[in-house]
Amino acid sequence: MANGELIESYVPARLDRMPWSRWHWLIVVSLGATWILDGLEVTLAGSLGGILTRTETLGLTDSEVGASATCYLAGAVIGALLFGYGTDRFGRKKLFFITVAVYLIGTALSGFSWNLASYAIFRALTGAGIGGEYAAINSAIDELIPARVRGRVDLMINGSYWIGAALGSGATLFLLDPRRFPIWLGWRFAFAIGAVLGLIVIFFRRWIPESPRWLMIHGRNAEAEEIVDQVERRFVSEILPAHESPPTRIHTRTHTPWGEIWNSIAHKHRRRSFLGFVLMTTQAFFYNAIFFTYALVLMRFYRVPEQSVGLYLLPFAVGNFFGPLLLGHLFDTIGRKRMIAATYGISGILLALSGWLFHAGLLTAQTQTLAWTIVFFVASAAASSAYLTVSEIFPLEIRAFAIAIFYAVGTLTGGVFAPWLFSWIIGTGSSAALFAGYLAAAVLMIIGAIVELWIGVAAERRSLEHVAAPLSSRN
């Protein structure tokens, strides 16, 4: 098919009308495993933070532990931008395998680190793979899931991050027990878990097709229709509902010029760009400020032994997982704007309250963990909704790159700085300074709620092409 040829396709309408099936569950499991890997990696880094300060391991300082977390996030930023553009240019499926391969190499090498420099480099490489996964996977999920359940499915998948977090905390409890493995060896075994899970992910992804919407745009509509035909044949015993949308009219293209990408993000959709920036930045600062340093807080302020830190993460991870799972359907029924604003605002208020209790000396290690669990039951849904928002509100041709841009900008401004800042604050031993940091994170979340109420997009139960018309439909 020639580049620029006008076609009409029912692919989007047919994907949105499909009943939920085993095929959709395969997508959820195979692609959602990305967040399990990310949760595992971040948890391992957080739980190992204390161990890596010991002389028989890497002998890092508290600030160097925070710096290594920053390197992971910086790598994720670079990977997101590089692989995000590649996802829009070369296809979702190709990048599935490239990004998970980069992750596998990085996490395996992390277990062989010998000093701060090598550990930082390998963590950055791991982050690059995970950052690339965000763009490729989020775009593919939204393009394959029916519009009526897109919100809850997206939040559920993003919430699976905390399954990885629970796995990571459980693994560290076992591997960091000196009765089972010597301290200098157990932490290295921990990183092998991520590599093994990555191999399993590659195995399952072999059955995930290329996004039919991406194929349609790139002049391969016959392939797109065939993929949809194969899925629809699974419903031979059911009567599929009629198309609820007219055909999508587009001019096929091989790629999107940089000028058109810039014009779409910086000019045509600048309000949406500002919204994505605010939501991603505020949740990144909020999350990374707490999660990358929770081990240091427990150890320094509550005298929790480093090998026991993982135990305190388990209820924290449970709250984070069940938040999006139980609240997700409300984003499709009550609506995006109300629920995103509510979860952002309530998260900020709860963190400010728990920070005050911490500063007042009214919490123990157990009640601090309970407070964080309650805060992040809500905040987990808020953070997941930020990824949902940026993956819905931009045109198909630049969806993955837009996700990458706002993930990168949000992580750089809100995420890379936060672990270093809070590690430094914790190193001073000042509860007042840490309370001030928590208040700053809380205020940012409340600002995010206000911006969502102002310019949020009501994308619930709407086709992606109606939320943001493809750029090629206007040629």
Side-chain angles (χ1 to χ4, degrees), residues 24-66:
H24 293 103
W25 278 118
L26 176 63
I27 293 169
V28 168
V29 173
S30 300
L31 300 185
T34 294
W35 281 263
I36 296 178
L37 293 176
D38 191 23
L40 176 72
E41 285 300 318
V42 174
T43 304
L44 288 177
S47 298
L48 294 174
I51 290 292
L52 296 181
T53 62
R54 299 178 62 160
T55 55
E56 60 264 50
T57 58
L58 296 181
L60 306 181
T61 64
D62 286 349
S63 61
E64 287 173 340
V65 170

Side-chain angles (χ1 to χ4, degrees), residues 196-238:
V196 172
L197 287 178
L199 290 172
I200 296 173
V201 168
I202 289 178
F203 176 78
F204 278 104
R205 284 188 184 172
R206 294 183 303 163
W207 289 286
I208 302 298
E210 179 58 85
S211 165
R213 282 177 158 103
W214 184 89
L215 291 170
M216 172 189 72
I217 289 289
H218 287 78
R220 298 161 62 182
N221 194 61
E223 293 178 51
E225 298 277 2
E226 176 57 28
I227 290 173
V228 180
D229 287 341
Q230 292 176 7
V231 179
E232 288 183 343
R233 283 195 286 269
R234 296 170 181 260
F235 305 110
V236 291
S237 61
E238 301 182 38

Side-chain angles (χ1 to χ4, degrees), residues 38 42 66-79 123-124 127-128 131 284 288 292 407-408 411-412 414-419:
D38 191 23
V42 174
S68 67
T70 297
C71 288
Y72 174 86
L73 291 171
V77 167
I78 296 171
R123 297 311 294 156
N288 293 321
F292 273 108
Y407 169 78
T411 300
L412 279 173
V416 171
F417 178 64

Side-chain angles (χ1 to χ4, degrees), residues 273-331:
S273 296
F274 179 70
L275 173 67
F277 167 76
V278 170
L279 294 182
M280 292 296 287
T281 299
T282 53
Q283 67 83 25
F285 187 93
F286 186 89
Y287 246 97
N288 293 321
I290 309 299
F291 193 55
F292 273 108
T293 57
Y294 82 95
L296 297 177
V297 171
L298 291 173
M299 291 167 56
R300 181 171 291 274
F301 291 98
Y302 297 108
R303 301 294 186 266
V304 174
E306 62 263 29
Q307 64 268 23
S308 301
V309 165
L311 181 64
Y312 290 85
L313 179 67
L314 289 174
F316 183 61
V318 168
N320 274 275
F321 173 68
F322 280 101
L325 185 64
L326 298 179
L327 299 177
H329 73 283
L330 299 177
F331 288 77

Side-chain angles (χ1 to χ4, degrees), residues 147-211:
R148 66 185 180 279
V149 294
R150 189 172 60 237
R152 70 193 72 183
V153 171
D154 200 293
L155 262 68
M156 178 180 68
I157 290 175
N158 277 277
S160 66
Y161 174 103
W162 296 99
I163 297 176
L167 288 173
S169 63
T172 55
L173 287 173
F174 179 80
L175 295 173
L176 300 183
D177 186 343
R179 294 171 298 179
R180 294 186 174 91
F181 301 98
I183 294 297
W184 64 268
L185 182 62
W187 72 273
R188 297 183 185 276
F189 284 160
F191 287 110
I193 299 172
V196 172
L197 287 178
L199 290 172
I200 296 173
V201 168
I202 289 178
F203 176 78
F204 278 104
R205 284 188 184 172
R206 294 183 303 163
W207 289 286
I208 302 298
E210 179 58 85
S211 165

